[in-house]
Amino acid sequence: MGITVREALKLGGLRRAKVVAGEAGLERIIKYVDILEIPDPRGWFRANELIITTGYAIRNDPRAQANLLLELARTNGAGLAVKFGRFIGSVPEEMRRLADELKIPLLDVPDDIPYVEITNPLMAAIVNEQARQLEYSERVHRELTRVALEASNIQAVAAALATLVEREVVICDEELQPLAVSGAVSGKGSAGGSLQLPPEEIKRLHSAQKAVEITLWSRNVRRRYFVAPIDVREHRYGYILVDGQTPLSELNQIALEHAVTVTALQMVKEEAVVEARRSLQRDLLEDLIAGALRHRELAISRAEALGILLEEPKVIMAIDIDDFTGYLLHQPGAQEANAGVLKRRFHRAVNSCFMAFDRRVLTVQRSDSVVGILPANGREIRGAEDWRVLRGMLQELAASIQLKIARELDGVTVTIGISSIAADPMEISERYQEARTAIRLARRLNGKGTVAFWEDVELYHVLGQSGETLERFYRSVLGELDRPEVKNREELLETLRVYLECQGNVMASAAKLYIHRNTMRYRLQRIEELLGRDLDSPDERLALWLALKARGLIRSEQ
């Protein structure tokens, strides 16, 4: 709170002063005025202080004269006013050069002007400016508080701040996704869309504790903003961006500071309301997933109270971070803090994909997993074709989740399991177990970062229950073919798999393998000879198909 050097030159004795150097610093703020007549100024200067001197103590010391300006620059002083005529004479060229270089205003004050004619008018102006700013601060605080209480939303706060500062205002979450925009100039310059920050600015913004000036891209337009972080108890809720094409005045900065406080209170309040509702929803979903609800009507009535329709068929999608602990061990800093940040960003990324889905998805976060309960309306589950359509939609949704995770969480992959349809709410717990089992089997069979439907892994699940019996079965059926000494073993096994997939059609199998039908018949003859089995028998084919699936499970364990 103060006045600029330019404004001070219009007051009292300084009206007769001349700016002899450092004109680039005339917008420096004066908050204090002091008189100095000692040779060494170290430890005496304060930020935003205008120093007045006759220069008597340094009249014959060019080095001390230069040091006076250097010390002012180090402490972010406002300027230096010197009565050159009485003791120093003409303005030293070195002081002119240094003042220009440091952008410190250097004023030549006539000898006959008493100090009191400089200090009194300046202090009166500074006090008046401080009073004006305090009055403005109180008015801004009252206005923003009124808006927050009456309108009770962030958009109203953005609109009020935009009116106060007469600039565009954008309020964003911690990922720089706009929550409210106001005062935007219509056209491509508006920041209504997503904001893109250069990598070098992201790091600076995340570590900022107060307002900083940054450059970002909005709708393919490069723009400058003043960005103030919104922090509450070491948790960053988001940012307030104010158009930065021209510098912010002190009054603008006061309004921005108050807006940060009011927005923080509003965000905390909204989070509390959302969290209360989410907690009730989470409790219901957790009970459904755990199978804790024994009475169907009770489950439906609890859901209806939260605006959830449970009676329509559902599909369960579980999204699980691959090697969550291993990923954290490679991150610098506190593991607990990193885990919390990763889980929040993971949950937000998954939810944003669910929100883009054309149906309402219920979600619950379970440690390093997110579980989605998706509606599957009756039209889509009447037959195989309807399930194929729904399956395609779910496949696209799963792919979009994996893509978003890969883009936003560097080095993180997820495996996704999708259940069969729960026709009744009391089946949700069983279907959740299907999705979890699909994840486990998908990792065993195909590795991390895959998508598995229950129907595709159900047979592996059944086979996997057999333990040692499974391997004995596999050896008894395929053992003679699957030996290292058998020539072209893998080629023959692949031929058998394709033949069984094509339901014993030699021509279709040969076409799929890109070989001649006679070559196909020769391979099948070799397989029959090695195994001693009739490939035309349906029972033999079933045994061989199951043995191939068992082989896949056993090899995944090895």
Side-chain angles (χ1 to χ4, degrees), residues 15 28 75 115 125 129 138 146 151 160 165 237 245 274 297 308 323 379-380 382 384 432 450 454 498 532 540:
R15 285 180 295 185
R28 285 177 175 265
T75 58
Y115 285 149
E129 178 63 19
E138 290 179 6
R146 181 192 64 77
V165 300
Y237 281 80
Q245 304 309 307
V274 170
E297 296 306 318
I308 299 172
D323 192 18
R379 180 185 64 80
E380 289 180 330
R382 289 176 182 168
Y432 169 70
T450 55
W454 169 250
V498 172
E540 294 283 24

Side-chain angles (χ1 to χ4, degrees), residues 84-136:
F84 284 105
R86 186 169 183 184
F87 297 111
I88 297 179
S90 60
V91 182
E93 285 303 316
E94 178 60 17
M95 290 189 75
R96 289 181 189 269
R97 185 196 64 77
L98 200 54
D100 284 333
E101 179 184 319
L102 299 173
K103 299 179 182 178
I104 298 288
L106 181 60
L107 312 180
D108 184 4
V109 180
D111 292 341
D112 62 333
I113 297 178
Y115 285 149
V116 71
E117 289 187 15
I118 298 175
T119 56
N120 283 5
L122 288 186
M123 291 307 301
I126 291 170
V127 169
N128 288 338
E129 178 63 19
Q130 290 175 342
R132 185 173 75 90
Q133 292 185 9
L134 286 172
E135 182 181 354
Y136 176 79

Side-chain angles (χ1 to χ4, degrees), residues 284 293-305 310-311 424-426:
L284 171 64
L293 294 175
R294 303 297 181 187
H295 302 286
R296 184 176 186 277
E297 296 306 318
L298 175 61
I300 292 174
S301 63
R302 279 182 61 184
E304 287 178 347
L310 275 187
E311 292 183 285
D424 188 271
M426 305 311 288

Side-chain angles (χ1 to χ4, degrees), residues 204-205 208-214 225-230 236 239-240 242 248 253 256-257 260:
R204 189 164 69 93
L205 185 59
Q209 300 300 313
K210 59 182 181 180
V212 294
E213 191 175 354
I214 65 170
Y225 285 91
F226 294 97
V227 183
I230 304 169
R236 180 148 298 178
Y239 303 91
I240 296 182
V242 176
L248 288 182
Q253 294 174 26
L256 178 57
E257 289 173 5
V260 167

Side-chain angles (χ1 to χ4, degrees), residues 6 22 57 124 162 187 207 246 267 299 376 411 426 438 506 523:
R6 191 184 304 278
S207 61
T246 56
M267 284 181 161
M426 305 311 288
V506 173
R523 291 184 184 178

Side-chain angles (χ1 to χ4, degrees), residues 217 440 476:
W217 288 90
R440 176 175 56 81
S476 68

